């Protein structure tokens, strides 16, 4: 693959990395209001960088939430148009004590770059910008195809503003396909395209008992406890074999095709290795009769993320809290409708409220599952490019995670997504010590350059 753009990327690789580190130092945590200015700062930093590399019509688009960043370069007449998508917001870094180096002070160790957002998604989003810069530099200020860039700052909190933008201003994002680098390789050195994501319904259940917190000695035995109420409710959401007990929950579930299941069976997957090195629990759980890949990619599930309320400090406090909250989410698969699922769930949870406790069920955000067909020229060109760069045939996988906007690209913009991600299964997304394997950062840039050159032929 002798390409002048790849040569340029090689020669500038250490600067690329230094720039990424600068971006990673901005704690753009979208869910914490005290970081709103940091999220904005990351957006303006990216807009400046897009201008610098040669993109046009660069704009930080203010919204009711965090801003979007837009740019384009549309002078490759007769060539396809790519919509490059990425998100510059990150998840909170806690628990801080578990990090070997501070989350917003990026450092290299053993060929990896450690920082919150290193791989999800600042590092991967930045590969797009560096591929574009290399192409501009190597081709006299021109790109081989037309490109629009849209970056969002609230993917990690549901992506409401970009969804609104796509619905209302979709014509500004007109393209033939979207390129999304926010997923993982199935295994190290194995070029991977992700063609399916689960949907998500994220909720809170608030339980209220007494009118105020009470002394648990004086009132214990007479006053209802909202945590125990939540425990009773949660215990009736899922049985011990992993089956969700909400009536009607599985009605719309569409199973993967026999061909897809067959392809998954030939992926290099060792369940015991996965249990030990990725999960690290004494056993795996979930529905019997389904493989781990089916359970995480093609079956819905339900999880509890936290139960704020009451006393959680060190030591003991004898209190019956007046209220307690459980954060509960459900991952959805095709063809489950998030609105319908939320209604069924809400109705069921309300019916489980024990005497003396009132419950309120709130929707935080939701998004549909998506499966993308592989028989389009963009996925085909991507597999050719990956073969050139990685020397191997691409595997097609689904992922259990969610990127809500990919469904909107497909359904509203009628644009298929090429999900070409370069994370590794042990990159610790959303967890302490998130990292990006640097070889994958550089190879990702080469892959995107080659992909665009392939499409420009
Ligand atoms: N990049 C992830 C999703 C992902 C990770 C897809 C790995 C495939 C492989 C994304 O940033 C993410 O974490 N999304 C959230 C969804 C959101 C609505 C909170 C998720 O899946 O929890
Ligand atoms: Mn992401
Ligand atoms: Mn994420």
């Amino acid at each position: 693959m002798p390409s002048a753009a790849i040569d340029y990327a090689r020669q500038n690789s250490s600067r690329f990395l230094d720039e990424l580190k600068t971006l990673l130092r901005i704690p753009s945590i979208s869910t914490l209001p005290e970081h709103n200015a940091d999220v904005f700062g990351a957006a303006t930093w990216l807009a400046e960088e897009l201008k610098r590399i040669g993109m046009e019509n660069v704009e930080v688009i203010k919204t009711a939430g965090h801003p979007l960043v837009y740019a384009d370069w549309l002078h490759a007449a007769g060539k396809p148009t790519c919509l490059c998508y990425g998100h510059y917001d990150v998840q909170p870094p806690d628990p801080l004590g578990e990090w070997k180096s501070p989350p917003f002070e990026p450092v290299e160790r053993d060929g990896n770059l450690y920082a919150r957002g290193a791989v999800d998604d600042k590092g991967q989003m930045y590969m797009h910008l560096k591929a574009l810069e290399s192409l501009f530099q190597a081709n006299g200020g021109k790109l081989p195809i037309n490109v629009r860039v849209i970056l969002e700052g609230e993917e990690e909190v549901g992506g409401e503003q970009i969804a609104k933008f796509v619905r209302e201003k979709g014509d500004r994002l007109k393209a033939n396909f979207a390129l999304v680098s926010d997923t993982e390789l199935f295994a190290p050195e194995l070029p991977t395209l992700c063609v399916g994501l689960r949907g998500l319904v994220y909720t809170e259940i608030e339980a209220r008992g007494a009118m105020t917190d009470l002394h648990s000695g004086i009132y214990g035995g007479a006053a209802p406890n909202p945590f125990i109420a939540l425990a009773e409710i949660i215990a009736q959401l899922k049985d011990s074999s992993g089956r969700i007990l909400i009536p009607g929950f599985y009605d719309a579930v569409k199973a993967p095709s026999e061909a897809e299941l067959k392809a998954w069976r030939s992926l290099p997957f060792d369940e015991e290795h996965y249990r030990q090195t990725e999960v690290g629990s004494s056993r795996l759980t979930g529905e019997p009769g389904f493989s781990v890949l089916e359970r995480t990619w093609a079956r819905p599930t339900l999880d509890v993320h936290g139960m704020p309320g009451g006393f959680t400090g060190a030591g003991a406090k004898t209190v019956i809290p007046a209220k307690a909250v459980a954060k509960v989410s459900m991952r959805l698969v095709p063809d489950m409708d998030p609105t319908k699922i939320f209604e069924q769930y809400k109705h069921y949870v309300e019916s489980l409220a024990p005497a003396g406790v009132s419950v309120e069920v709130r929707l935080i955000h939701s998004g549909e599952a998506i499966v993308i067909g592989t028989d389009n020229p963009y996925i085909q060109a991507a597999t050719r490019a990956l073969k050139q760069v990685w020397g191997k045939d691409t595997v097609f996988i689904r992922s259990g995670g969610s990127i809500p906007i990919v469904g909107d690209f497909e359904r509203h913009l009628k644009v298929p997504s090429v999900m070409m991600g370069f994370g590794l299964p042990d990159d610790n997304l959303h967890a302490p010590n998130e990292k990006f394997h640097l070889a994958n950062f550089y190879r990702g840039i080469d892959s995107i350059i080659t992909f665009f050159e392939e499409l420009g032929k």
Side-chain angles (χ1 to χ4, degrees), residues 191-243:
T192 303
L193 291 176
C194 178
V195 296
L197 296 167
R198 287 197 286 193
L200 184 63
V201 171
Y202 199 108
T203 78
E204 279 179 357
I205 309 173
E206 181 171 312
R208 287 180 168 273
M211 64 183 172
T212 181
D213 286 9
L214 298 170
H215 188 296
S216 69
I218 302 175
Y219 297 100
N225 184 310
F227 273 104
I228 292 180
L230 286 177
E232 285 176 24
I233 292 169
I234 291 166
Q236 294 174 80
L237 294 178
K238 202 179 192 184
D239 72 15
S240 57
S241 71
R243 190 162 177 91

Side-chain angles (χ1 to χ4, degrees), residues 85-87 89-91 119-122 124 155-156 180-183 402-403 429-430 434:
Y85 163 86
H87 66 91
D89 64 321
V90 299
Q91 290 271 333
V119 72
D120 185 12
D121 179 40
K122 285 174 173 167
Q124 296 213 66
E155 192 276 343
E156 300 290 8
V180 178
S181 297
D182 194 21
T183 55
S402 309
I403 309 172
L429 282 75
H430 295 200
E434 178 178 349

Side-chain angles (χ1 to χ4, degrees), residues 163-441:
K164 189 160 177 268
F165 189 80
V166 163
R167 279 195 305 272
E168 292 171 4
K169 310 249 171 67
D171 47 314
R172 290 194 61 187
L173 301 180
K174 249 192 214 135
N176 298 98
F177 72 98
L179 177 64
V180 178
S181 297
D182 194 21
T183 55
E184 300 175 329
L185 300 175
F186 186 74
E189 314 279 312
L190 189 58
T192 303
L193 291 176
C194 178
V195 296
L197 296 167
R198 287 197 286 193
L200 184 63
V201 171
Y202 199 108
T203 78
E204 279 179 357
I205 309 173
E206 181 171 312
R208 287 180 168 273
M211 64 183 172
T212 181
D213 286 9
L214 298 170
H215 188 296
S216 69
I218 302 175
Y219 297 100
N225 184 310
F227 273 104
I228 292 180
L230 286 177
E232 285 176 24
I233 292 169
I234 291 166
Q236 294 174 80
L237 294 178
K238 202 179 192 184
D239 72 15
S240 57
S241 71
R243 190 162 177 91
I244 292 150
L245 302 172
I246 301 163
F249 187 78
Y250 291 95
D251 285 358
V253 169
K254 187 175 163 196
S257 69
E258 218 17 79
E260 218 177 345
L261 288 170
K262 187 167 166 235
W264 295 354
R265 280 193 290 272
S266 66
L267 289 169
F269 183 76
D270 177 345
E271 186 168 318
E272 187 53 17
H273 183 259
Y274 169 87
R275 182 189 68 76
Q276 283 182 21
T277 65
E278 283 190 53
V279 179
S281 60
S282 59
R283 272 196 58 178
L284 295 175
T285 55
E287 293 173 286
F290 294 93
S291 69
V292 167
L293 298 184
E294 283 173 89
R295 271 152 40 215
T296 56
W297 294 353
R299 294 292 293 170
T301 190
L302 179 149
D303 275 289
V304 180
H305 309 288
M307 295 179 63
F311 180 68
T312 56
K317 177 185 180 188
T318 46
V319 64
I320 300 175
K323 68 166 199 175
V325 172
K327 291 178 182 285
V328 179
S329 83
M330 288 155 280
R331 295 279 167 175
L332 311 184
V333 300
D335 290 322
M336 300 170 87
D337 173 2
T339 310
K340 198 162 177 186
I341 291 294
F342 178 70
E343 284 313 316
Q344 289 170 338
Y345 162 82
K346 179 174 155 70
H347 187 257
Y348 180 59
V349 168
E350 284 167 352
S351 79
L352 299 175
V357 174
S358 64
V359 300
E360 188 192 334
V361 183
R362 296 187 285 259
L363 178 67
I364 306 293
H365 56 71
S366 68
E368 276 175 68
I370 178 83
V371 171
I372 285 152
T374 56
D375 56 349
N376 68 65
Y378 312 105
I379 297 235
Q380 300 305 326
T383 62
R384 291 196 298 278
L386 289 170
K387 174 98 188 196
Q388 274 186 54
V389 175
W390 299 74
K392 283 184 194 163
D393 287 333
T394 298
V395 295
F396 294 102
I397 66 165
R398 291 199 204 175
S399 167
S402 309
I403 309 172
I405 200 62
V406 172
D408 295 298
F409 287 162
E410 179 101 1
R411 284 179 275 263
H412 287 279
L413 300 182
K414 312 278 182 236
V415 159
S417 291
V418 175
M419 289 191 271
M420 187 191 278
F422 301 97
L424 285 177
D426 68 350
D427 274 348
N428 301 319
L429 282 75
H430 295 200
N433 305 305
E434 178 178 349
K435 66 176 175 69
F436 197 175
H437 186 52
L438 284 169
N440 290 341
F441 175 64

Side-chain angles (χ1 to χ4, degrees), residues 56-78:
E56 300 175 349
N57 300 309
V58 179
E59 196 186 335
V60 174
I61 302 172
K62 299 231 168 76
T63 72
H66 298 301
L68 299 165
V69 181
Y70 174 87
D72 62 33
W73 190 91
L74 303 170
H75 307 294

